[in-house]
Amino acid sequence: MAKLAVDIHGGDYGPSVVIPSCLDFFRSHPEHLGYFFGDARFYRAFIHECPSNLEWIDTDELSDVEKASPSKLLRKQGLSSIEIAYKALANKDVDAVISAEHTGVLLTLATKYGQLHNQLNRPALASWLPTTGLETVMLDLGASFSATSDQLIAYSAIGIGLMRSSYAVPKVSLLNLGTEAYKGPLELRTAYKVLSQWQNIDFAGFIEASDIYNGSTNIVVTDGFTGNTAIKSAEGALKLAIKSVSTQLQQSILHKVLGLVLKQQLKNTMTKLHPDEANGALVAGTELLIIKSHGNAKKRALTAALKRAVYAIEHKSTELIWAELDKIN
């Protein structure tokens, strides 16, 4: 059983999308407990649809929370839905927090209410990639604008911890502009040398951006700016491709018939590759389990984020990450 705290005010759409999407999840998963944190005015319309495994926690919205500076968030005792949810997580009243709030807010509150591992100077954002091969996670994704070799090594340890429950010997790659060991900046080449000596991992060296979605590795490590750019541009390109194919298959009766045939043949593959299925990034580096959803997430993506949280709880992801970080000399 997982106890999941949902911030109903985060994201582009807020309660109007978050509430009905998450209600469906908890109806379908009565074995898990849900806690909705937010202004009661927004969920009164849904109160009669509430399943028995869901509880409402009334809070102030304070929609200006994402405009607050990190120093203000750290200093002020906030009453926003996301901060009250964090307090519940820190008190172990819930097992995880799921929110589409601004990344900076989630990272700042993680260090306010949790203990940051001493190998990190800030939490890292790790996200699963849609592939048809190996399960793949990429980090960092926006929590940092650059990375030293020590930070890249710490990100590698986080990725290894995430994958350790599924792979005894996870495969690790560093994102670079080429696969040759002599290419790239000094920080990357230094991390390469260190990781090549690590035990109980399969270090695959450098990987290029064109290969990160083919499922050939378990962990892709990079700095936050590069990672965020790579994943968002790929998501945009994939959505464009899917939309273009769908448009073409609606051009005539023959195309529509062909589309119906192809839809059945490609259904499983397209489901795996859809960006919404990979929604739910982990704010990693503290003992708190926090899942960040895309700001524009709707039902399919929010469901994926909730499932991601359950998986992380059941597989003790935060504990495994901490154990790998402890191994760094």
Side-chain angles (χ1 to χ4, degrees), residues 17 38 43 95 99 104 106 108 126 144 148 152 168 191-192 197 204 219 227 237 242 250 257 274 286 323 326:
V17 169
Y43 55 69
D95 300 318
S99 175
L106 298 183
T108 299
S144 64
T148 65
L152 292 171
Y192 183 108
Q197 302 299 315
I219 303 152
I242 293 172
Q250 297 297 317
V257 172
H274 200 288
T286 74
D326 282 343

Side-chain angles (χ1 to χ4, degrees), residues 4-285:
L4 306 177
V6 179
D7 168 26
I8 68 171
H9 293 296
D12 299 341
Y13 305 110
S16 63
V17 169
V18 173
I19 292 175
S21 298
C22 294
L23 280 175
D24 285 347
F25 174 86
F26 287 107
R27 285 194 202 97
S28 302
H29 296 84
E31 71 276 19
H32 301 311
L33 300 179
Y35 301 85
F36 281 9
F37 288 74
D39 192 323
R41 292 174 298 175
F42 290 95
Y43 55 69
R44 282 174 186 156
F46 299 94
I47 196 69
H48 297 296
E49 304 175 39
C50 181
S52 60
N53 59 329
L54 186 61
E55 183 177 339
W56 306 92
I57 311 296
D58 189 18
T59 69
D60 290 337
E61 179 186 357
L62 289 183
S63 58
D64 62 343
V65 65
E66 65 180 56
K67 299 178 183 178
S69 65
S71 60
K72 184 177 180 180
L73 284 173
L74 290 172
R75 184 176 65 252
K76 182 181 178 182
Q77 288 298 315
L79 299 174
S80 65
S81 57
I82 183 59
E83 190 152 359
I84 299 301
Y86 266 78
K87 290 177 182 178
L89 181 60
N91 291 333
K92 302 187 185 304
D93 296 326
V94 297
D95 300 318
V97 168
I98 298 93
S99 175
E101 189 54 85
H102 187 273
T103 301
V105 171
L106 298 183
L107 267 61
T108 299
L109 293 179
T111 58
K112 181 176 181 177
Y113 291 101
Q115 179 185 352
L116 185 66
H117 195 281
N118 58 21
Q119 291 293 338
L120 298 165
N121 62 353
R122 64 173 64 193
L125 201 62
S127 181
W128 283 257
L129 304 182
T131 77
T132 55
L134 297 175
E135 182 182 359
T136 305
V137 69
M138 185 173 179
L139 67 165
D140 189 21
L141 292 174
S144 64
F145 291 108
S146 61
T148 65
S149 57
D150 287 342
Q151 288 172 321
L152 292 171
I153 290 164
Y155 299 161
S156 300
I158 291 172
I160 292 165
L162 279 175
M163 287 295 166
R164 192 67 84 181
S165 60
S166 300
Y167 298 87
V169 184
K171 191 171 184 178
V172 184
S173 301
L174 290 166
L175 183 60
N176 200 352
L177 47 76
T179 59
E180 297 86 352
Y182 61 83
K183 283 191 173 181
L186 177 61
E187 301 292 355
L188 268 176
R189 289 182 278 118
T190 301
Y192 183 108
K193 291 179 182 178
V194 173
L195 291 172
S196 64
Q197 302 299 315
W198 275 19
Q199 303 295 314
N200 299 319
I201 68 168
D202 177 8
F203 181 56
F206 292 137
I207 188 172
E208 294 185 271
S210 58
D211 294 324
I212 62 178
Y213 287 89
N214 63 17
S216 62
T217 190
N218 295 126
I219 303 152
V220 179
V221 180
T222 185
D223 63 86
F225 182 87
T226 304
N228 190 272
T229 301
I231 197 169
K232 286 186 176 177
S233 58
E235 286 176 357
L238 183 56
K239 287 180 179 178
L240 176 62
I242 293 172
K243 183 177 180 180
S244 298
V245 171
S246 298
T247 300
Q248 287 298 316
L249 293 176
Q250 297 297 317
Q251 295 298 314
S252 67
I253 294 178
L254 178 60
H255 284 161
K256 289 180 180 179
V257 172
L258 179 60
L260 290 173
V261 175
L262 290 175
K263 182 178 181 180
Q264 295 303 316
Q265 297 297 319
L266 298 176
K267 184 177 181 180
N268 290 336
T269 298
M270 295 308 294
T271 296
K272 290 180 181 179
L273 291 177
H274 200 288
D276 284 352
E277 294 297 324
N279 184 43
L282 178 70
V283 178

